Amino acid sequence: MSSGSSEEACLRDDRGRLVVVGHAEVVRIANSPVTFSNAVSRHLQIPNGLDGQRHVEARRLLAPFFHPPALDALEPALSRIAAGLIADLGERTFDAVEDLGVVYAVRAASAWLGWRDDLEPEFIAWVAEHRAAGRSGQPERLAHSAARFDTLVRGLIDERRRRRACDLTGLLMTVRWRGRLITDAEVVSILRNWTGGDLSFACAVRRGGPPLGRRASRPHPSPLSVRRRRTGPGGR
C-alpha cells in the first residue's frame, strides 16, 4: 500500500503483514494489476495467482464448470453422501471435523471430480498430513505435503489419459488455452484451487457446535441438508 493510504483502511495480521479492509482501497488494488500483483507465490496458482487479461481468460475458460445446470446435477449426489454419512455415525459420539467435515469434504470432492472411492483413505490421510504441516510452521513440511498432493492428482490425470474418462477431471484436461491444451501442471493448480488447497472446500462445520450435538442426540437424525453456495471458478 502507498504511504497515502489511511490507517483505518488497513490492519496488521499476526505476522505483521498488511491486510487491506477499506472498500475504496480494495477497489483501487483490484483495478491496478501492474502495481498490485496476484502473483505472490512461487507456485502456479490458477486463476487466483494471475493478473489482468490472463486472469480474465482463465476465469472465462473455467466458468462453464460452475454453470447452474452443472451444479444442479451434482446436488442429489452430495445430499446422498451427507445423509449416508450422518446415518453411519449413528448414536456414537463423533468429532465434527475429523469424522464428519473432513470425510464429507473428501467424498464430495471425489463425487464432483470423478475420483475413485478407494482413494478416500489416502486423501483423508493427506488432509491430516497437510494440516499438521501447516501448523508446524516448517516450510519443508508444507513443500513435501504439496508435492504429495501433486503426485496424487497427477496419478489421476494419467489414469484418465489412459482410459479417456469423461468425468469432470477428464473434461478439464481437454480445455484449450491460448491455442494449446491445458498442461498437467495447470490442471493440478486448478484442482488445488477448486478443492480449497487441502480438499476442505466442502468442510463447513465447526468443532463442538450445538446443532451437531442436538442432531447426534436424536433417535432418528434427519438427513443433513446440503445447499449449494454459488461461487465463481475462483471461489472456494
Side-chain angles (χ1 to χ4, degrees):
M1 290 296 295
S2 68
S3 59
S5 299
S6 65
E7 288 298 323
E8 293 77 10
C10 306
L11 298 173
R12 295 279 179 182
D13 66 9
D14 56 1
R15 297 184 183 180
R17 296 173 300 189
L18 196 63
V19 178
V20 180
V21 295
H23 179 265
E25 284 74 11
V26 169
V27 171
R28 181 166 67 85
I29 289 171
N31 290 306
S32 306
V34 174
T35 304
F36 301 97
S37 175
N38 289 324
V40 295
S41 173
R42 293 173 297 171
H43 307 290
L44 186 63
Q45 295 181 322
I46 301 175
N48 293 16
L50 304 179
D51 292 319
Q53 187 59 32
R54 291 187 70 215
H55 181 92
V56 172
E57 290 175 2
R59 289 182 63 89
R60 186 180 296 123
L61 284 172
L62 301 177
F65 293 101
F66 293 86
H67 282 170
L71 299 181
D72 289 340
L74 178 66
E75 191 163 8
L78 298 187
S79 293
R80 286 193 299 271
I81 290 170
L85 181 54
I86 290 294
D88 290 344
L89 289 170
E91 297 299 307
R92 69 180 177 87
T93 300
F94 61 88
D95 186 292
V97 173
E98 302 303 328
D99 298 330
L100 179 60
V102 171
V103 178
Y104 175 77
V106 170
R107 289 183 186 176
S110 298
W112 179 40
L113 300 171
W115 296 351
R116 301 195 320 269
D117 294 343
D118 63 297
L119 292 174
E120 179 181 310
E122 194 164 4
F123 276 116
I124 288 176
W126 179 83
V127 171
E129 173 194 332
H130 185 69
R131 291 181 173 177
R135 291 191 297 269
S136 73
Q138 300 173 17
E140 62 275 12
R141 287 188 64 180
L142 273 173
H144 179 272
S145 176
R148 178 61 179 152
F149 181 87
D150 287 8
T151 299
L152 289 169
V153 174
R154 285 179 183 273
L156 293 165
I157 291 172
D158 291 341
E159 178 184 295
R160 276 144 188 79
R161 187 166 286 126
R162 289 193 301 269
R163 60 185 181 87
R164 298 184 180 182
C166 293
D167 53 33
L168 189 143
T169 300
L171 291 174
L172 178 60
M173 293 166 57
T174 68
V175 168
R176 299 190 68 84
W177 191 4
R178 296 193 167 190
R180 59 164 177 81
L181 272 177
I182 195 169
T183 68
D184 288 0
E186 289 166 344
V187 172
V188 171
S189 177
I190 291 166
L191 291 175
R192 183 186 296 279
N193 175 270
W194 284 359
T195 58
D198 63 356
L199 289 173
S200 66
F201 79 110
C203 182
V205 298
R206 294 181 180 275
R207 189 184 302 272
L212 284 173
R214 289 196 297 270
R215 181 183 300 279
S217 66
R218 295 174 185 168
H220 302 287
S222 58
L224 183 66
S225 174
V226 177
R227 295 183 180 273
R228 180 181 64 255
R229 184 175 67 180
R230 297 186 183 275
T231 62
R236 295 191 178 168

